Amino acid sequence: MTIDVVADRLGCSPSKVSRIETGHTSATPRDVKDMLDIYGISGIESEELVQISREARQKGWWHPFSTVLTGAYVGLEAAAKSIRAYEQQVVPGLLQTDKYAIAMIRAARLGDSDREIEQRVRVRMARQALLIQDDPIELWVVLDEAVVSRPVGGDEVMRDQLLRLVEATRMPNVTLQILPFAAGAHAGMDGTFAILDFPDAEDPDVVFSENATGGLFLEKSDDLRKYNSIFDTIRATALSPEESRNMIAMLAEEPLWKLRPKVSGSI
């Protein structure tokens, strides 16, 4: 059936059907029911799809903060059963303290007002409920050593953040590893990414590669294989979870940025 035929039977424009099919606009439950009738789908399958369209139109808890959010990552994160991530520069949002988040956002988003920064931090803190809810998300993170070596927010803020990471390593659903500088060149040098896995086996994994304007979602099988391979390689190269916890705890007491010789511009 062509888009023109479907549009004619629905009594709408072909562009509306195209936008629904390509995900550029949401479909009302009525639209879905009418389209299913046209396609000859009925019974339980039709009822389930119409129900999905109702649920898709419900606003998540983060909707009031849409002015400071870009992309659909928060919604996908909330639906995921597990996340595997590699971070090069910052502590992942799910493991940040509020003061670390404030310092990081203030430095990275020069144009944000105090109110916008406050809203971003509130969203970030609310997202962390995923780790402690009744059915918590599984989180496996590999952090480049640079993440725990850069004093974001100053000594006190960074020390509290490192201690927060130590606490997180004791959670049964969190695995944390450090990829040390001594590893040299490694498979993850092209950039930060997160692999999201969902409860329904029919829902494919999604790779999210973050950037300054939001991020890129990758779903093709070749991309998924590539990033799964990269993650497996860097986790095998990284320190073990126990070694990583010991290293972070040591850095909380003896920060590297205090031990290294000062050069021009350093603290």
Side-chain angles (χ1 to χ4, degrees):
M1 240 177 238
T2 66
I3 286 177
D4 289 335
V5 170
V6 176
D8 183 62
R9 295 195 186 181
L10 283 175
C12 68
S13 67
S15 64
K16 176 179 177 179
V17 179
S18 177
R19 290 196 304 272
I20 290 174
E21 289 187 349
T22 56
H24 286 85
T25 188
S26 60
T28 66
R30 184 66 200 177
D31 287 336
V32 172
K33 180 67 171 64
D34 290 344
M35 293 175 82
L36 292 172
D37 288 343
I38 292 171
Y39 302 147
I41 306 300
S42 60
I44 294 177
E45 188 174 6
S46 175
E47 292 172 6
E48 289 179 346
L49 291 169
V50 172
Q51 180 59 27
I52 288 172
S53 71
R54 291 194 188 99
E55 293 172 357
R57 295 174 67 82
Q58 295 174 3
K59 294 174 175 142
W61 61 264
W62 56 87
H63 181 76
F65 303 97
S66 58
T67 56
V68 296
L69 291 175
T70 56
Y73 182 80
V74 175
L76 289 174
E77 179 185 70
K81 72 173 183 180
S82 69
I83 297 176
R84 289 165 291 154
Y86 168 62
E87 287 284 354
Q88 287 183 321
Q89 295 292 337
V90 300
V91 173
L94 292 177
L95 299 175
Q96 291 178 5
T97 66
D98 55 351
K99 290 181 180 178
Y100 179 98
I102 291 170
M104 193 212 79
I105 294 170
R106 181 162 285 138
R109 296 185 173 272
L110 301 178
D112 278 13
S113 66
D114 288 344
R115 175 173 172 74
E116 287 173 326
I117 292 173
E118 178 189 356
Q119 288 183 321
R120 290 186 190 280
V121 173
R122 286 178 64 189
V123 171
R124 199 154 296 187
M125 295 302 104
R127 286 166 52 200
Q128 296 181 5
L130 292 172
L131 295 174
I132 57 173
Q133 61 190 12
D134 291 340
D135 184 20
I137 196 168
E138 295 284 336
L139 180 65
W140 191 334
V141 177
V142 177
L143 297 180
D144 193 278
E145 187 175 342
V147 176
V148 292
S149 301
R150 186 184 303 277
V152 174
D155 289 354
E156 184 177 349
V157 170
M158 193 62 193
R159 182 175 184 274
D160 288 344
Q161 177 60 73
L162 293 174
L163 292 176
R164 166 74 179 100
L165 292 178
V166 172
E167 292 174 4
T169 64
R170 299 192 174 99
M171 300 174 70
N173 55 312
V174 175
T175 302
L176 183 61
Q177 292 179 264
I178 300 295
L179 185 62
F181 292 142
H186 57 82
M189 296 188 75
D190 277 346
T192 289
F193 62 90
I195 305 170
L196 293 86
D197 182 53
F198 301 95
D200 193 332
E202 295 182 0
D203 288 335
D205 293 356
V206 174
V207 174
F208 178 67
S209 179
E210 190 171 7
N211 57 45
T213 58
L216 181 66
F217 292 96
L218 305 171
E219 299 178 87
K220 293 181 179 178
S221 57
D222 287 347
D223 293 330
L224 294 173
R225 279 195 295 270
K226 176 182 177 181
Y227 278 94
N228 275 303
S229 176
I230 291 173
F231 187 81
D232 287 342
T233 301
I234 61 176
R235 71 174 175 82
T237 306
L239 300 177
S240 71
E242 183 178 359
E243 291 171 328
S244 299
R245 178 171 58 247
N246 293 339
M247 178 181 181
I248 297 169
M250 179 191 71
L251 290 175
E253 300 302 324
E254 299 179 7
L256 285 178
W257 59 88
K258 286 190 173 183
L259 298 176
R260 289 174 177 152
K262 291 185 179 180
V263 295
S264 178
S266 66
I267 62 171

